[in-house]
Amino acid sequence: GAVVSQHPSWVICKSGTSVKIECRSLDFQATTMFWYRQFPKQSLMLMATSNEGSKATYEQGVEKDKFLINHASLTLSTLTVTSAHPEDSSFYICSARAGYPNQPQHFGDGTRLSIL
Amino acid sequence: GESVGLHLPTLSVQEGDNSIINCAYSNSASDYFIWYKQESGKGPQFIIDIRSNMDKRQGQRVTVLLNKTVKHLSLQIAATQPGDSAVYFCAENGSGGTSYGKLTFGQGTILTVHP
């Protein structure tokens, strides 16, 4: 149980294009979803938190106009990297949590984004 | 701000040995902790969690110990296998304020198991 699917797993695109990443909870309803960024050999850094039907809450230093988050249903959240540039290249990982804050987050397998 | 850190960034063990991975946390108000395993190119995988009203919790081949007095968390893996090789993260679940319900991850420990 508690499976989170993330798609695509890997994407390469030209600078200036926008990229959408999907995160789905397959066997549970996710009231809250999270988006993280991870650089090589480093820990996970929280970018934003989204609750179904509400606007996402962004961490300090994360540009909300650059990283658009939509959480339209209890099983789907999307992250769109707008006008991507090489410095946006990274490993993006989503997680989902079913209920109360003192429940574990379950993670997708990440999306490797490379901007040329 | 609050942080969760690890004492040992790397750990090498022989197959069959027991492994212990340590973590220090700084927020004494934290009431929930999670250990995750991350294999190369994948997302973190839930291993075990513990709440602050407990000091020990056991799973299959894994045990988590919580010492609230010194704000220390450890993950013990029994009979370590090559498939256990990965990066292990402890994570602290924020208990209040702007960190409420959010995970703060430690720096990670690379566990390498030699056959």
Side-chain angles (χ1 to χ4, degrees), chain B residues 6-7 19-25 33-35 48 50 55-57 62-67 71-77 90:
Chain B
L6 293 173
H7 295 300
S19 301
I20 299 176
I21 301 171
N22 297 300
C23 176
Y25 64 94
F33 305 87
I34 310 170
W35 280 101
I48 193 167
I50 189 167
D55 53 21
K56 180 179 179 179
R57 191 165 188 224
V62 295
T63 300
V64 55
L65 299 178
L66 175 63
N67 186 331
K71 291 183 285 187
H72 185 267
L73 194 68
S74 69
L75 176 70
Q76 300 178 1
I77 305 174
C90 63

Side-chain angles (χ1 to χ4, degrees), chain A:
Chain A
V3 178
V4 175
S5 174
Q6 192 171 336
H7 178 81
S9 57
W10 181 55
V11 59
I12 301 176
C13 61
K14 294 181 179 179
S15 184
T17 58
S18 294
V19 179
K20 180 184 282 189
I21 302 170
E22 292 188 350
C23 180
R24 295 180 183 273
S25 56
L26 299 186
D27 53 0
F28 67 100
Q29 292 187 323
T31 52
T32 308
M33 286 185 167
F34 303 84
W35 288 95
Y36 295 82
R37 185 171 181 175
Q38 185 178 34
F39 291 105
K41 300 189 185 302
Q42 293 190 24
S43 190
L44 282 76
M45 182 183 71
L46 179 65
M47 298 175 64
T49 303
S50 72
N51 292 293
E52 184 264 339
S54 302
K55 287 185 178 180
T57 303
Y58 291 81
E59 295 301 301
Q60 193 171 11
V62 177
E63 300 176 60
K64 59 182 180 182
D65 294 331
K66 159 71 80 175
F67 301 100
L68 301 179
I69 292 171
N70 183 276
H71 191 167
S73 77
L74 285 172
T75 59
L76 174 64
S77 177
T78 60
L79 168 68
T80 301
V81 184
T82 62
S83 186
H85 290 95
E87 59 266 29
D88 299 322
S89 298
S90 191
F91 192 51
Y92 293 88
I93 313 174
C94 72
S95 72
R97 185 177 66 208
Y100 296 106
N102 60 352
Q103 296 292 324
Q105 293 179 26
H106 298 281
F107 287 81
D109 270 342
T111 297
R112 177 73 57 193
L113 176 62
S114 296
I115 310 297
L116 303 178

Side-chain angles (χ1 to χ4, degrees), chain B residues 49-109:
Chain B
D49 58 0
I50 189 167
R51 305 187 193 287
S52 60
N53 60 351
M54 303 172 70
D55 53 21
K56 180 179 179 179
R57 191 165 188 224
Q58 289 184 292
Q60 189 175 19
R61 283 200 306 118
V62 295
T63 300
V64 55
L65 299 178
L66 175 63
N67 186 331
K68 295 182 287 296
T69 301
V70 295
K71 291 183 285 187
H72 185 267
L73 194 68
S74 69
L75 176 70
Q76 300 178 1
I77 305 174
T80 316
Q81 303 168 359
D84 295 327
S85 295
V87 180
Y88 289 81
F89 292 97
C90 63
E92 167 189 14
N93 199 51
S95 59
T98 57
S99 298
Y100 182 66
K102 299 177 184 178
L103 288 179
T104 300
F105 281 81
Q107 65 184 66
T109 292

